């Protein structure tokens, strides 16, 4: 007679997987699409849920990216960048618009790059790096410092909260 499974929640694989954010909130993703992540590949043993050390907002961006690409990496980005326009850097125009929108919010861009590394999604990490490179291409040092300052959100300095 079969006994109940232990806390690993091993079940017959379904077509969907639930990723659990660091805040313990859930995001549903197609299992095949999620395989774009090396982290998910290692963790996925037929589980229904996988805990990810990523905040929900960033995890949703990752799910949006892997879902758009249907689990298959886009064409690699050629280096060095010949232009600062993302639409001319990447072959997928959706990628260009998507990363440009995120790039308007430096902290989101930084967190997405960090999450792409943690989740082992090389094409996403490359896309974030290309976006950062496009922001600083041809700039002076003072401009680069201003562009990369994560405290600047939409042109306004974010104030640190006092403890």
């Amino acid at each position: 007679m079969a006994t109940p499974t232990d806390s690993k929640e091993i079940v017959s694989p379904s077509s969907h997987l639930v990723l659990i954010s660091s805040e313990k909130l859930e995001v549903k993703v197609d299992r095949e699409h999620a395989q774009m992540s090396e982290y998910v590949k290692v963790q996925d043993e037929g589980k229904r849920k996988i805990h990810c050390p990523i905040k929900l907002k960033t995890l949703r961006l990752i799910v949006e990216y892997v879902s758009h690409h249907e689990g298959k990496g886009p064409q690699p980005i050629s280096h060095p960048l010949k232009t600062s326009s993302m639409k001319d850097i990447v072959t997928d125009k959706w990628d260009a618009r998507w990363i440009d929108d995120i790039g308007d919010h430096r902290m989101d861009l930084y967190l997405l790059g960090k999450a792409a590394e943690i989740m082992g999604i090389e094409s996403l990490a490359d896309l974030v790096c290309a976006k950062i490179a496009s922001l600083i291409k041809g700039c002076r040092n003072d401009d680069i410092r201003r562009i990369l300052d994560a405290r600047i959100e939409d042109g306004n300095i974010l104030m640190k909260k006092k403890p």
Side-chain angles (χ1 to χ4, degrees), residues 63-123:
V63 168
E64 187 176 4
Y65 179 82
V66 300
S67 296
H68 169 75
H69 287 287
E70 298 179 340
K72 299 168 187 71
Q75 271 190 295
I77 298 169
S78 62
H79 304 282
L81 302 183
K82 294 176 175 65
T83 178
S84 61
S85 173
M86 289 305 293
K87 67 181 170 101
D88 296 328
I89 293 170
V90 296
T91 55
D92 186 329
K93 298 311 173 201
W94 181 90
D95 279 350
R97 286 188 308 275
W98 185 76
I99 200 68
D100 278 342
D101 289 344
I102 295 166
D104 290 340
H105 309 281
R106 301 296 188 264
M107 185 57 78
D108 291 346
L109 186 63
Y110 167 77
L111 293 173
L112 182 60
K114 186 176 172 184
E117 290 291 329
I118 291 168
M119 296 297 286
I121 306 173
E122 186 177 351
S123 61

Side-chain angles (χ1 to χ4, degrees), residues 6 8 17 24 28 32 39 45 50 57 59 77-79 88 94 110 112 117 125 128 154:
D6 62 11
K8 288 185 180 180
L17 182 64
K24 310 273 189 264
K28 191 174 178 181
E32 187 177 321
Y39 181 88
E45 300 169 336
I50 295 177
K57 181 178 181 181
L59 193 56
I77 298 169
S78 62
H79 304 282
D88 296 328
W94 181 90
Y110 167 77
L112 182 60
E117 290 291 329
V128 171
D154 299 328

